[in-house]
């Protein structure tokens, strides 16, 4: 009888110990399971964040393409405009002589001229500069140094170049009663224009 009682007590002790171990293991398992759920949620958030970044990058790239197209349109508009480079060189007075076409020797052509002036303080070499009319007649300046605060008259006829007078050496009149003188620098940039005729004189500088 005592042996049977001892056996039952031992069995009860074993069962109690097993119950304690199981109770201790359950919170850990629960913690692990909860941690797994948290990891899953975090992974989902990371995945959503990746999608958001992808959308933002796509929008930024789209904006970059739109900005590039806008710049291209602006550059195209700029290329279509008359660019006038800022310069101290400008057109001054203009003298055109009417009725000189019958001048056999072209002497009267020298009474027709366009004044080019330097409004700055420093001298400018006009080599390569051009002066044109509406018909496309063009005079290209030689190696000529125009001092600051000074001017030179470009005559249509023939003569000897000096510090204050240059000659196109033409035998026909260039400037008409209604015309436009256009001055360009040695790179072809328009720096000044002077128009006259039916609407009077009109000056436009860079």
């Amino acid at each position: 009888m005592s042996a049977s009682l001892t056996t039952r007590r031992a069995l009860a002790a074993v069962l109690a110990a097993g119950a304690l171990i199981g109770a201790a293991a359950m919170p850990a398992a629960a913690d692990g399971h909860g941690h797994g759920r948290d990891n899953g949620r975090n992974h989902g958030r990371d995945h959503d964040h990746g999608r958001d970044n992808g959308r933002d990058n796509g929008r930024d790239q789209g904006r970059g393409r739109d900005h590039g197209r806008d710049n291209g349109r602006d550059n195209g508009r700029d290329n279509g405009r008359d660019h006038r480079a800022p310069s101290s060189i400008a057109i001054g007075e203009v003298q055109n002589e009417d009725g000189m076409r019958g001048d056999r020797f072209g002497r009267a052509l020298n009474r027709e001229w366009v004044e080019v002036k330097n409004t700055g303080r420093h001298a400018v070499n006009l080599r390569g500069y051009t002066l044109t009319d509406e018909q496309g007649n063009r005079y290209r300046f030689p190696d000529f140094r125009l001092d600051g605060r000074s001017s030179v008259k470009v005559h249509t006829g023939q003569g000897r170049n000096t510090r204050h007078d240059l000659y196109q050496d033409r035998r026909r009149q260039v400037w008409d009663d209604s015309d436009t003188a256009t001055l360009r620098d040695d790179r072809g940039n328009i720096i000044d224009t002077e128009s006259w005729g039916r609407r009077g004189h009109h000056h436009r500088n860079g």
Side-chain angles (χ1 to χ4, degrees):
M1 182 67 180
S2 60
S4 177
L5 181 59
T6 301
T7 301
R8 285 197 299 271
R9 290 176 177 171
L11 180 60
V14 171
L15 292 175
L20 290 173
I21 293 172
M26 286 178 63
D31 290 342
H33 185 66
H35 183 67
R37 285 198 301 271
D38 292 338
N39 285 339
R41 294 191 193 100
N42 292 333
H43 180 69
R45 294 191 192 100
D46 292 340
H47 186 64
D48 292 338
H49 184 66
R51 285 199 300 269
D52 292 339
N53 285 340
R55 294 191 193 100
D56 292 339
N57 289 336
R59 294 189 193 102
D60 291 340
Q61 290 175 359
R63 294 189 193 104
R65 287 194 295 270
D66 293 340
H67 184 66
R69 285 195 294 268
D70 292 340
N71 284 340
R73 295 190 192 102
D74 293 339
N75 289 335
R77 296 188 194 105
D78 291 340
N79 289 334
R81 298 180 186 135
D82 282 340
H83 288 282
R84 283 172 169 77
S87 173
S88 63
I89 305 300
I91 296 175
E93 296 182 10
V94 176
Q95 177 67 47
N96 67 304
E97 288 289 331
D98 190 20
M100 67 173 63
R101 298 183 187 277
D103 183 6
R104 184 175 180 181
F105 299 101
R107 295 190 183 95
L109 289 176
N110 287 336
R111 295 198 300 268
E112 179 182 79
W113 46 261
V114 174
E115 181 187 38
V116 176
K117 58 184 181 179
N118 182 0
T119 61
R121 294 182 300 172
H122 304 289
V124 176
N125 194 329
L126 299 183
R127 181 177 183 178
Y129 281 57
T130 59
L131 190 63
T132 58
D133 66 353
E134 289 182 348
Q135 286 71 42
N137 296 306
R138 181 177 64 178
Y139 169 73
R140 185 180 297 275
F141 284 79
D143 187 3
F144 180 81
R145 180 184 176 91
L146 183 60
D147 294 332
R149 311 295 187 188
S150 65
S151 64
V152 61
K153 291 179 180 178
V154 180
H155 302 269
T156 299
Q158 299 177 348
R160 182 174 178 270
N161 292 337
T162 66
R163 292 180 57 189
H164 301 290
D165 297 280
L166 294 174
Y167 297 87
Q168 298 192 45
D169 292 334
R170 296 182 183 274
R171 297 183 180 275
R172 294 179 179 274
Q173 182 182 6
V174 172
W175 309 109
D176 296 330
D177 293 338
S178 177
D179 212 336
T180 298
T182 301
L183 182 65
R184 291 179 172 85
D185 63 16
D186 54 352
R187 295 184 177 181
N189 298 313
I190 297 176
I191 58 177
D192 199 8
T193 61
E194 177 77 23
S195 299
W196 62 91
R198 299 187 185 96
R199 299 180 181 179
H201 278 262
H202 175 70
H203 183 84
R204 184 178 180 184
N205 181 264

